[in-house]
Amino acid sequence: MSLPPEQDKAGAIALPAEVPGSGALDRLVETARTYAAQAASENTLKAYAKDWAHFARWCRMTGADPLPPSPELIGLYMADLAAPAGPSPALSVSSIERRLSGLSWNYTQRGFSLDRRDRHISSVLAGIRRKHARPPVQKEAILPEDILAMVATLPHDLRGLRDRAILLLGYAGGLRRSEIVCLDVHKDDTPDSGGWIEIVEKGALLVLNAKTGWREVEVGRGSSEQSCPVHALEQWLHFARIDFGPVFVRTSRDGKRALEARLNDRHVARLVKKTVMDAGIRGELPERERLALFSGHSLRAGLASSAEVDERYVQKQLGHASAEMTRRYQRRRDRFRVNLTKAAGL
């Protein structure tokens, strides 16, 4: 089934059919489309686009139409994702739930509504959860001795200064990799900015437009220049001669000159894996297993697992809405620090 032009692109905003166009209204349509495109992060929109493409391809292979939404068809699709008949691997429960969210979003953008509470969807999803649910696979936390070993492997050229600042700031700030690379030097320096920094005597204040909304992250100065994230940031900005625009940018091929292009968040993940390998962390394991253990998220997990402070401060730093979410990031903690058995008089 081919989609009408106005529905072929998710999120299309247009004038009502009965309203004649004009220069002013056409300008507002473009403005509204710009705002609509910013309703979700770029990575989320890419994932939702892939979800729709996969579902549309599945519909073609089964001889079904993706539009209008059919709860019965969606239920069959989810069953095939959980227990595929072909060579494709089965998806995890979380991936199927994410795929369902992507379809729901795509239908909404096309002017339809998908009732996820319909029994053909809800009962199938409940069964998939009951049969296939597993504890989430967590990335390894980077501990204090690990991060120090990792930054020690970096060269002392411009690229090394940048990567040292990325690792230390991401670790001390408990930042997502997208939050690290979205920073600008000042507010509103670039259209694609996701926040900015302010360096003061006691540390650096990061103002971030994160996935949970605007939040402030305080990164204090460290006990030594070698491990201080603020010092590393200052060194990078000074020698890269950056006083405007993105904080973390690409460098020339020889690593001696800062360019204008903002780094992609995938650089953070690759940097973590490379420095983990170079530092010999978990060296007792085969290389493939070591690479699979660590990711950009290991920086956030490292802060949550290592900071010996009240849990609520860690929760605030990570931007979590609940303490339970923060505890998921804590790979090591004293689970019996509060003994309710004794507190109850036993």
Side-chain angles (χ1 to χ4, degrees), residues 10 14 16-17 20 40 53 61 66 98 101 149 151 169 192 205 258-260 265 272 324 341 345:
M61 293 175 62
R98 210 293 316 282
S101 296
V151 298
L169 191 69
D192 61 341
L205 175 65
L259 306 178
E260 295 183 358
D265 65 342
V272 168
E324 183 58 36
T341 305

Side-chain angles (χ1 to χ4, degrees), residues 233-255:
L233 178 62
E234 290 173 324
Q235 291 288 100
W236 157 247
L237 293 175
H238 172 72
F239 286 103
R241 299 179 180 178
I242 295 176
D243 55 13
F244 182 86
V247 171
F248 295 114
V249 296
R250 300 180 184 277
T251 60
S252 57
R253 189 177 296 273
D254 59 8

Side-chain angles (χ1 to χ4, degrees), residues 167-177 179-180 206 208 215 217-219 296-304 314-320 329:
L167 290 176
L168 291 174
L169 191 69
Y171 185 83
L175 304 178
R176 301 175 179 89
R177 64 186 194 182
E179 293 172 343
I180 297 173
L206 315 181
L208 294 165
R215 67 188 179 100
V217 174
E218 298 89 10
V219 178
H297 233 58
S298 297
L299 297 174
R300 279 168 67 79
L303 177 75
V314 180
Q315 179 183 340
K316 177 181 180 297
Q317 190 83 338
L318 297 183
H320 288 154
Y329 281 72

Side-chain angles (χ1 to χ4, degrees), residues 49-109:
K50 290 181 180 178
D51 292 339
W52 182 259
H54 186 275
F55 176 63
R57 184 166 59 251
W58 182 86
C59 287
R60 289 195 299 271
M61 293 175 62
T62 56
D65 289 333
L67 295 173
S70 165
E72 295 89 344
L73 188 65
I74 299 294
L76 296 178
Y77 175 63
M78 291 192 304
D80 193 35
L81 295 177
S88 300
L91 295 187
S92 66
V93 175
S94 60
S95 295
I96 293 173
E97 291 174 335
R98 210 293 316 282
R99 187 74 56 92
L100 180 59
S101 296
L103 295 183
S104 181
W105 184 89
N106 275 282
Y107 276 125
T108 299
Q109 304 311 304

Side-chain angles (χ1 to χ4, degrees), residues 28-234:
L28 289 176
V29 167
E30 289 303 316
T31 302
R33 285 175 178 172
T34 300
Y35 282 127
Q38 296 173 349
S41 72
E42 182 180 354
N43 287 339
T44 299
L45 293 176
K46 287 181 179 178
Y48 285 170
K50 290 181 180 178
D51 292 339
W52 182 259
H54 186 275
F55 176 63
R57 184 166 59 251
W58 182 86
C59 287
R60 289 195 299 271
M61 293 175 62
T62 56
D65 289 333
L67 295 173
S70 165
E72 295 89 344
L73 188 65
I74 299 294
L76 296 178
Y77 175 63
M78 291 192 304
D80 193 35
L81 295 177
S88 300
L91 295 187
S92 66
V93 175
S94 60
S95 295
I96 293 173
E97 291 174 335
R98 210 293 316 282
R99 187 74 56 92
L100 180 59
S101 296
L103 295 183
S104 181
W105 184 89
N106 275 282
Y107 276 125
T108 299
Q109 304 311 304
R110 289 166 169 80
F112 297 98
S113 176
L114 178 64
D115 184 8
R116 297 175 59 167
R117 294 173 297 180
D118 185 283
R119 63 185 179 86
H120 294 93
I121 297 177
S122 60
S123 60
V124 171
L125 184 57
I128 291 173
R129 286 174 179 151
R130 185 176 180 86
K131 183 173 182 179
H132 298 293
R134 298 287 186 274
V137 177
Q138 296 181 316
K139 294 298 181 180
E140 192 91 352
I142 291 173
L143 303 179
E145 59 271 20
D146 298 331
I147 193 72
L148 294 177
M150 289 162 64
V151 298
T153 68
L154 295 170
H156 293 281
D157 60 3
L158 195 60
R159 186 178 296 149
L161 290 177
R162 179 199 64 192
D163 290 345
R164 186 173 288 103
I166 287 174
L167 290 176
L168 291 174
L169 191 69
Y171 185 83
L175 304 178
R176 301 175 179 89
R177 64 186 194 182
S178 59
E179 293 172 343
I180 297 173
V181 299
C182 78
L183 287 168
D184 277 3
V185 178
H186 308 105
K187 181 181 180 181
D188 299 329
D189 275 359
T190 63
D192 61 341
S193 169
W196 65 93
I197 61 172
E198 180 183 354
I199 299 178
V200 296
E201 181 181 353
K202 293 185 176 180
L205 175 65
L206 315 181
V207 183
L208 294 165
N209 186 10
K211 62 186 296 186
T212 54
W214 285 100
R215 67 188 179 100
E216 293 183 348
V217 174
E218 298 89 10
V219 178
R221 294 187 182 272
S223 56
S224 71
E225 288 188 351
Q226 288 71 29
S227 62
C228 176
V230 183
H231 177 74
L233 178 62
E234 290 173 324

